[in-house]
Amino acid sequence: MTRTMVIKVTAGEEAPERCNQGFTVAAAAAASGARVSLWLTGEAAWFAVPGRAEAFALPHAAPLADLLEGVLAAGTVTVCTQCAARRELTEDDLRPGVRIAGAPTFVEETLAEGAQALVY
């Protein structure tokens, strides 16, 4: 059975290292063949909007846009329903392939057999 990594990133530009760590782990897991579900909550929700990840820069770190594309190619990316609503974002505002879902979906994913959840 392939394990699933459910990774929630809660930080955005206000905590760039923590934010980038979550994206890096998600992309590394996807590249290693794990199933990956990346959740963007709080200020991280903005990175689901086209152009936002491209504008993020952190010295000595892989570009956030590249990490996000790696996850999208091999896994799922979700923006929290409440976080999207607070930022007045709809699925039409997001990158292709990014969905909006709420806590029940997050709980279902994290409680699934073989799932490993991490929060950054």
Side-chain angles (χ1 to χ4, degrees):
M1 172 177 68
T2 302
R3 293 194 66 188
T4 299
M5 290 198 73
V6 182
I7 300 169
K8 181 186 274 193
V9 179
T10 63
E13 292 179 354
E14 79 289 353
E17 288 182 299
R18 185 163 37 109
C19 173
N20 189 266
Q21 288 168 358
F23 278 85
T24 299
V25 169
S32 72
R35 285 186 296 227
V36 176
S37 176
L38 176 61
W39 283 73
L40 305 178
T41 67
E43 289 300 295
W46 288 114
F47 295 122
V49 174
R52 293 290 188 113
E54 290 79 2
F56 179 90
L58 181 64
H60 310 291
L64 202 66
D66 293 350
L67 298 172
L68 181 55
E69 287 303 319
V71 175
L72 278 168
T76 61
V77 178
T78 306
V79 173
C80 152
T81 301
Q82 291 180 16
C83 300
R86 280 190 284 274
R87 289 157 182 81
E88 299 182 353
L89 297 173
T90 68
E91 287 191 356
D92 290 339
D93 297 313
L94 307 180
R95 292 173 176 271
V98 176
R99 68 179 178 164
I100 295 175
T105 304
F106 179 77
V107 170
E108 180 181 337
E109 288 184 12
T110 60
L111 292 179
E113 185 175 341
Q116 172 68 50
L118 301 172
V119 178
Y120 289 88

